[in-house]
């Protein structure tokens, strides 16, 4: 009986305990869900705010190097020295970690001794800031501290000084390639490769979050790192040594000729750039020291009417079309009139009995007009198009000009004639060098290549996408044109031109410069230039050098020694052996007796 | 039911009885439960204490490690900074401008071009002739190919100053080349230590092709 009575009571108790347990569990579950799910974000944020620290990890902007790996641009750590003006105070032993009292003045003298500033300036800056805002808690006192200065300032242990990392760009080789490499503004790339290759060079910032203990040490296990991705490295095709020497030669000749500017381009016959020199140049470490117009690369941005060095292309086009033979005999007076057009040679001369080769070597405008009687100007335009005129080169340099090509069959008769010898038609220096490249490459025009590739942080190399090379003229045409141009070097009357033992093809030009307003040619300005290819028996290099408005020698004779020295330099630098074949003997003149 | 079974039941009614009665059977005698021994308790507590102490020790070691790690990180970044500073120095010192100026300083000249043996073996074919432009990398207006970073190199700065000073020694009645500024202005430029852009209009000996003679 007793057992029967007890049984239901035990059931009730069990139920009560179970219900209570369940209720407790439910409370915990609800609470857990509330903390872990419903308010998780807010609580996490609060917790992070209390202990957590997030710091941005700066990736390093990638370097720019030449073909041999010489660094032309790189990022280095620099520090900004900032202070809290309202807390600048004298330091006392016992309170601060100093052995003897240190006044603000003394501290500033010590800081100035490290940074190279004037301590009075620093003090005046702080006073001025406090005047402006007595509660000011931030002011930059000095910037660009290098690692040694950073450590020296840090070792002073002044509590109101805070050093902030601010990576900067340096250019160890200074203005070597400065016009190509470009430079950075405060944050953004402003010119050159820095700008056009920013997508490769720029780093992706990362973040590191961690909980810290009272003294700032990260608590183990709490560190979450989203690493920064460093920028890629851009490799150029240029050779820094040659670049330096060509720049030096260009600068020396520019100053000797008292020219406004000088530009030289050295290119391999496969279209890769070895050097592009500008004078005046720009030192990317200090771009403001150069005038604004000198900070880009004229080789890409300054189109001009090239003048006689352009004759090579019209002559080669006519030869390729079979309209002329190098030995074709012509009688060339010094003026030409017809159809309301008028063409004159640079100097008056008697009627000369020149061959077609002689016309090109003696750079006769009238002779070119005589040869081009049968030339279809539409076809000529196609040749120029294939030579690369009228469009940007494959480099796509920041600010590069394209100079659209006009259809020469649709222009007035005078311009049709002028275009044969490089007037009434404009081109950039790089377009001209690139067209000479086709002549040196057996008639095949290859795209200009300045950037060899981009190597990203993981070491993956991306080569620039370049268009296919295109045949402009036949191999025979290219070779016989170069053989004719050899005579410009040997027979043009300049002793400073040839280099004995080497077969060099070149064409000089003295181009007239138009007034900026287009009202005709400026008699006081001219562009003297020499463009060439060597060695003729196995072309390897294209050299173009030009000087704007030289004062001490206004003929192309001024640019010839510069061209000679640049070729000389390349022979020395690359140990190019002398030519093994004799120069061509294509006749330049003819006599009625023959 | 078969007859045989019925017969069996009736034949032996007594025998299965006692076995059916045994619903409850005596268990084998349980071993006597004694109170837990002290040694077990001590062992358990000691184990617990051991675990606690070990964990404490481990966490001390880990946090010690965190401090060591932090210190090593600090040291590593400090060393990285020195490496970078030295690397920067090397990069600037190996820049073409510095090499050129230092070589000039030491009186070095450009080497002879290579000579080539012809296959016929009769003679060597000479390299190129001399360059027309034979002027040092540095003149009184500074470097032709400037590098602002070199201004921090005392040796180069001294060379620049020396060349600039040597070029201009003003004396009463000194005749300046056409277009040249007053010597006072020129020495101001040196004092500022600013290497001028190479294309500055002032340049020695206008009209000479080979300023090598001009610089002598």
């Amino acid at each position: 009986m007793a057992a029967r009575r007890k049984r239901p009571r035990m059931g009730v108790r069990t139920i009560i305990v179970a219900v209570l347990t369940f209720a407790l569990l439910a409370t915990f579950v609800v609470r857990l869900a509330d903390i872990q799910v419903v308010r998780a974000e807010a609580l996490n944020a609060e917790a992070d705010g209390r202990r957590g620290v997030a710091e941005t990890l700066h990736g390093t902007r990638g370097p720019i190097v030449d073909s041999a790996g010489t660094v032309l641009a790189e990022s280095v750590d620099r520090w900004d020295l900032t202070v809290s003006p309202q807390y600048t105070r004298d330091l006392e032993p016992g309170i601060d970690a100093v052995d003897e009292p240190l006044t603000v003045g003394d501290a500033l003298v010590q800081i100035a001794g490290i940074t190279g500033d004037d301590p009075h300036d620093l003090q005046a800056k702080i006073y001025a800031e406090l005047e402006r805002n007595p509660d000011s808690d931030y002011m930059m006192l000095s910037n660009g501290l290098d690692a040694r200065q950073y450590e020296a300032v840090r070792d002073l242990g002044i509590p109101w000084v805070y050093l902030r990392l601010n990576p900067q760009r340096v250019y160890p080789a200074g203005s070597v390639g400065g016009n190509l490499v470009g430079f950075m503004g405060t944050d953004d790339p402003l010119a050159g490769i820095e700008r056009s290759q920013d997508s490769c060079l720029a780093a992706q910032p990362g973040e590191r979050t961690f909980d810290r203990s009272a003294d700032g040490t990260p608590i183990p296990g709490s560190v979450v790192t989203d690493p920064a991705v460093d920028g890629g490295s851009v490799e150029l095709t240029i050779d820094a040594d040659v670049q330096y020497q060509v720049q030096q030669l260009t600068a020396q000749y520019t100053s000797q000729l008292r020219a406004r500017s000088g530009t030289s381009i050295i290119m391999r016959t496969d279209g890769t750039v070895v050097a592009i020199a500008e004078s005046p140049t720009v030192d990317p470490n200090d771009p403001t020291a150069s005038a604004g117009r000198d900070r880009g690369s004229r080789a890409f941005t300054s189109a001009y009417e090239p003048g006689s060095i352009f004759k090579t292309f019209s002559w080669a086009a006519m030869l390729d079309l079979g309209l002329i033979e190098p030995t074709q005999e012509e009688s060339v007076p010094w003026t030409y009139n017809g159809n309301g057009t008028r063409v004159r040679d640079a100097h008056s001369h008697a009627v000369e009995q020149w061959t077609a080769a002689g016309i090109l070597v003696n750079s006769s405008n009238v002779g070119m007009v005589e040869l081009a009687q049968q030339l279809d100007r539409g076809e000529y335009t196609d040749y120029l198009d294939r030579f690369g005129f009228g469009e940007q080169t494959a480099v796509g340099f920041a600010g590069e000009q394209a100079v659209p090509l006009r259809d020469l069959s649709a222009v007035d008769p005078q311009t049709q004639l002028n275009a044969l010898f490089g007037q009434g038609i404009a081109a950039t220096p790089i377009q001209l060098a690139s067209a000479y490249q086709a002549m040196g490459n057996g008639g095949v025009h290859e795209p200009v290549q300045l950037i060899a590739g981009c190597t990203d942080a993981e070491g993956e190399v991306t080569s620039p996408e370049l268009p296919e090379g295109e045949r402009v003229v036949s191999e025979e045409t290219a070779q016989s044109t170069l053989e004719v141009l050899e005579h410009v070097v040997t027979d043009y009357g300049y002793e400073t031109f040839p280099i004995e033992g080497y077969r060099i093809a070149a064409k000089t030009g003295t181009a007239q410069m138009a007034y900026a307003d287009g009202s005709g040619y400026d008699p006081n300005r001219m562009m003297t230039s020499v463009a060439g290819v060597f060695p003729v028996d196995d072309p390897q290099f294209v050299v173009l050098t030009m000087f704007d408005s030289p004062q001490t020698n206004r003929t192309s004779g001024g640019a010839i020694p510069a061209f000679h020295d640049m070729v000389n330099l390349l022979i020395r630098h690359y140990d190019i052996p002398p030519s093994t074949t004799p120069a061509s003997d294509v006749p330049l003149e003819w006599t009625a007796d023959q | 039911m078969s007859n045989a079974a019925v017969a069996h039941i009736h034949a032996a009614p007594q025998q299965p009885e006692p076995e059916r009665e045994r619903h409850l059977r005596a268990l084998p005698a349980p071993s006597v439960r004694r109170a837990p021994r002290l040694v077990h308790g001590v062992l358990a507590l000691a184990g617990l204490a051991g675990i606690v102490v070990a964990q404490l020790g481990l966490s001390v070691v880990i946090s010690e490690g965190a401090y060591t790690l932090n210190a090593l990180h600090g040291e590593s970044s400090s060393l990285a900074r020195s490496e970078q500073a030295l690397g920067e120095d090397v990069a600037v010192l190996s820049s073409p401008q510095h090499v050129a100026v230092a070589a000039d300083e030491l009186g070095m000249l450009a080497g002879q071009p290579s000579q080539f043996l012809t296959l016929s073996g009769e003679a060597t074919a000479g390299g190129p002739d001399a360059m027309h432009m034979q002027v040092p990398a540095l003149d009184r207006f500074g470097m032709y190919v400037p590098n602002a970073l070199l201004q921090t190199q005392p040796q180069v700065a001294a060379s620049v100053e020396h060349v600039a000073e040597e070029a201009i020694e003003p004396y009463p009645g000194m005749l300046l080349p056409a277009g040249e500024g007053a010597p006072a202005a020129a020495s101001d430029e040196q004092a500022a230590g600013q290497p001028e852009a190479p294309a500055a209009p002032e340049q020695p000996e206008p009209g000479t092709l080979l300023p090598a003679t001009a610089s002598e």
Side-chain angles (χ1 to χ4, degrees):
Chain A
M1 287 289 282
R4 270 190 190 176
R5 258 185 234 153
K6 270 184 184 175
R7 220 170 260 164
R9 274 193 198 165
M10 277 179 73
V12 169
R13 198 182 286 170
T14 313
I15 290 166
I16 288 172
V17 168
V19 166
L20 279 179
T21 311
F22 187 76
L24 201 63
L25 194 68
T27 315
F28 283 148
V29 167
V30 168
R31 181 73 178 145
L32 185 71
D34 182 43
I35 290 173
Q36 289 282 20
V37 182
V38 182
R39 293 195 294 150
E41 218 159 291
L43 288 173
N44 274 339
E46 199 187 329
D48 286 348
R50 278 188 202 163
R51 303 172 297 148
V53 184
E55 54 180 28
T56 307
L57 300 177
H58 292 284
T60 311
R61 187 176 172 83
I64 300 175
V65 300
D66 82 341
S67 57
T70 308
V71 176
L72 300 175
E74 65 179 337
S75 290
V76 293
D77 289 346
R78 290 285 184 269
W79 286 266
D80 293 338
L81 194 161
T82 64
V83 295
S84 167
Q86 65 161 330
Y87 290 120
T88 48
R89 57 181 176 80
D90 299 345
L91 305 184
E92 299 291 339
I95 304 171
D96 303 296
V98 286
D99 294 334
E100 45 196 77
L102 182 69
T103 63
V104 171
D106 288 342
L108 288 179
V109 168
Q110 290 187 0
I111 291 172
I114 294 164
T115 62
D117 293 308
D118 181 347
H120 297 101
D121 279 359
L122 301 183
Q123 188 142 35
K125 273 190 193 172
I126 294 176
Y127 285 156
E129 178 68 14
L130 285 173
E131 187 85 4
R132 194 184 65 79
N133 174 14
D135 295 332
S136 173
D137 209 12
Y138 169 83
M139 192 190 75
M140 194 193 293
L141 206 55
S142 184
N143 60 6
L145 274 67
D146 65 22
R148 293 190 186 94
Q149 292 170 323
Y150 164 81
E151 288 187 348
V153 171
R154 191 196 52 186
D155 292 345
L156 293 179
I158 303 168
W160 38 268
V161 162
Y162 179 69
L163 290 153
R164 194 183 55 179
L165 181 67
N166 183 7
Q168 280 178 19
R169 205 76 171 145
V170 296
Y171 304 87
S175 52
V176 174
N179 298 80
L180 297 176
V181 169
F183 46 87
M184 300 283 288
T186 326
D187 291 311
D188 300 316
L190 295 183
I193 307 286
E194 290 274 29
R195 187 163 154 197
S196 61
Q197 292 293 310
D198 190 46
S199 57
C200 171
L201 294 166
Q204 307 290 332
E207 198 182 50
R208 186 165 78 126
T209 53
F210 57 88
D211 297 343
R212 67 177 168 193
S213 62
D215 62 355
T217 307
I219 297 172
S222 70
V223 184
V224 179
T225 309
D226 170 22
V229 180
D230 287 346
S233 145
V234 170
E235 187 186 313
L236 305 183
T237 60
I238 69 167
D239 181 325
D241 287 340
V242 176
Q243 173 75 32
Y244 167 70
Q245 297 184 67
V246 171
Q247 256 181 275
Q248 173 136 318
L249 283 174
T250 307
Q252 288 169 339
Y253 276 103
T254 303
S255 72
Q256 187 198 65
L257 292 166
R258 296 195 164 218
R260 295 191 190 193
S261 68
T263 298
S264 304
I265 299 173
I266 314 282
M267 201 186 267
R268 294 183 193 89
T269 43
D270 63 359
T272 53
V273 173
V274 181
I276 294 180
E278 307 280 355
S279 173
T281 182
V282 59
D283 184 348
N285 292 307
D286 185 15
T288 51
S290 301
R293 63 177 180 278
D294 297 331
R295 292 179 201 161
S297 178
R298 287 184 202 83
F300 291 95
T301 59
S302 294
Y304 78 114
E305 294 185 29
S308 299
I309 62 172
F310 204 76
K311 284 179 183 140
T312 304
F313 313 122
S314 42
W315 199 89
M318 289 189 278
L319 184 64
D320 199 54
L321 287 168
L323 299 176
I324 59 170
E325 286 290 322
T327 53
Q328 179 179 332
E329 297 168 352
E330 296 283 337
S331 295
V332 187
W334 83 287
T335 58
Y336 169 86
N337 292 289
N339 295 334
T341 59
R342 197 176 67 148
V343 171
R344 290 194 305 186
D345 281 352
H347 307 285
S348 68
H349 58 76
V351 176
E352 298 280 0
Q353 296 188 319
W354 281 327
T355 60
I359 287 171
L360 181 58
V361 169
N362 289 290
S363 199
S364 167
N365 298 342
V366 175
M368 291 300 290
V369 170
E370 282 184 4
L371 292 176
Q373 298 291 349
Q374 304 299 317
L375 177 63
D376 181 292
R377 296 306 198 271
E379 280 182 310
Y380 179 43
T381 312
D382 289 343
Y383 272 97
L384 295 183
D385 180 52
R386 293 206 296 276
F387 269 119
F389 294 106
E391 60 198 15
Q392 282 193 351
T393 62
V395 174
F397 198 78
E400 179 172 355
Q401 277 194 300
V403 206
L405 195 60
R406 290 183 290 175
D407 182 359
L408 293 173
S409 59
V411 298
D412 61 280
Q414 182 70 54
T415 306
Q416 286 194 348
L417 299 185
N418 289 352
L420 295 170
F421 43 86
Q423 286 187 0
I425 191 164
T428 57
I430 194 74
Q431 285 175 335
L432 289 164
S434 172
Y436 270 92
Q437 174 272 321
M439 303 305 295
N441 192 34
V444 178
H445 179 250
E446 296 285 348
V448 182
Q449 193 181 358
L450 176 61
I451 289 141
C454 165
T455 310
D456 70 11
E458 266 113 53
E460 194 173 315
V461 181
T462 321
S463 297
E465 284 182 20
L466 294 172
E468 288 274 301
E470 186 181 12
R471 177 163 293 284
V472 188
V473 294
S474 69
E475 197 164 351
E476 299 76 47
T477 301
Q479 190 59 28
S480 38
T481 308
L482 290 185
E483 284 172 3
V484 171
L485 290 180
E486 267 189 274
H487 290 276
V488 177
V489 175
T490 52
D491 300 344
Y492 199 50
Y494 283 98
E495 284 181 9
T496 52
F497 217 156
I499 298 174
E500 204 182 326
Y502 290 87
R503 294 179 64 189
I504 301 162
K507 183 75 194 81
T508 60
T510 308
Q512 291 173 290
M513 307 272 287
Y515 284 113
D517 59 6
S519 61
Y521 291 110
D522 183 343
N524 294 316
R525 281 192 78 183
M526 70 293 299
M527 184 76 90
T528 61
S529 54
V530 184
V533 175
F534 80 99
V536 172
D537 46 350
D538 175 24
Q540 294 179 34
F541 290 99
V542 175
V543 176
L544 170 69
T545 184
M546 52 204 299
F547 298 93
D548 181 359
S549 308
Q551 300 303 307
T552 58
N553 185 345
R554 294 176 175 230
T555 68
S556 52
I560 283 171
F563 177 85
H564 166 278
D565 283 0
M566 284 171 201
V567 172
N568 200 316
L569 171 78
L570 292 170
I571 292 173
R572 285 162 190 260
H573 191 87
Y574 293 106
D575 274 340
I576 300 171
S579 300
T580 49
T581 50
S584 78
D585 51 1
V586 58
L588 305 181
E589 294 175 356
W590 57 277
T591 49
D593 298 337
Q594 286 180 323
Chain B
M1 234 183 239
S2 67
N3 291 341
V6 171
H8 183 72
I9 289 168
H10 287 277
Q14 296 290 332
Q15 281 205 345
E17 283 275 300
E19 289 200 6
R20 291 190 77 183
E21 281 296 309
R22 285 190 180 175
H23 273 299
L24 299 170
R25 223 180 286 171
L27 286 169
S31 57
V32 181
R33 275 206 153 191
R34 293 181 196 160
R37 274 190 196 161
L38 185 64
V39 65
H40 290 156
V42 168
L43 210 64
L45 282 177
L48 201 65
I51 289 169
V52 167
V53 165
Q55 194 150 27
L56 199 68
L58 204 64
S59 91
V60 164
V61 168
I62 287 178
S63 54
E64 192 78 0
Y67 281 95
T68 317
L69 196 67
N70 210 31
L72 287 175
H73 270 309
E75 196 180 337
S76 150
S77 56
S78 160
L79 289 173
R81 276 195 295 274
S82 333
E83 189 204 1
Q84 189 201 301
L86 294 170
E88 275 181 59
D89 287 353
V90 169
V92 172
L93 289 174
S94 60
S95 70
Q97 292 94 333
H98 181 262
V99 174
V101 170
D104 277 354
E105 192 89 329
L106 292 168
M108 293 171 81
L109 298 171
Q112 289 298 309
S114 308
Q115 298 285 312
F116 297 89
L117 276 172
T118 51
L119 277 181
S120 56
E122 282 173 3
T124 58
D129 52 358
M131 309 262 263
H132 297 308
M133 180 62 74
Q134 303 273 359
V135 293
L138 180 69
D139 73 5
R140 63 199 163 115
F141 297 108
M143 279 172 280
Y144 280 100
V145 185
N147 186 351
L149 296 181
L150 276 182
Q151 284 171 7
T152 58
Q153 295 296 327
Q155 193 197 341
V156 174
S159 303
V160 171
E161 201 152 309
H162 177 69
V163 171
E165 269 171 15
E166 216 172 47
I168 301 173
E169 285 170 17
Y171 54 88
M174 175 178 170
L175 190 61
L176 294 169
E180 188 80 50
S187 48
D188 278 349
E189 271 166 23
Q190 309 164 26
Q194 298 259 326
E196 198 156 300
E202 302 88 357
Q203 209 45 63
E205 302 293 320
T208 33
L209 195 60
L210 306 175
T213 51
S215 66
E216 280 165 13

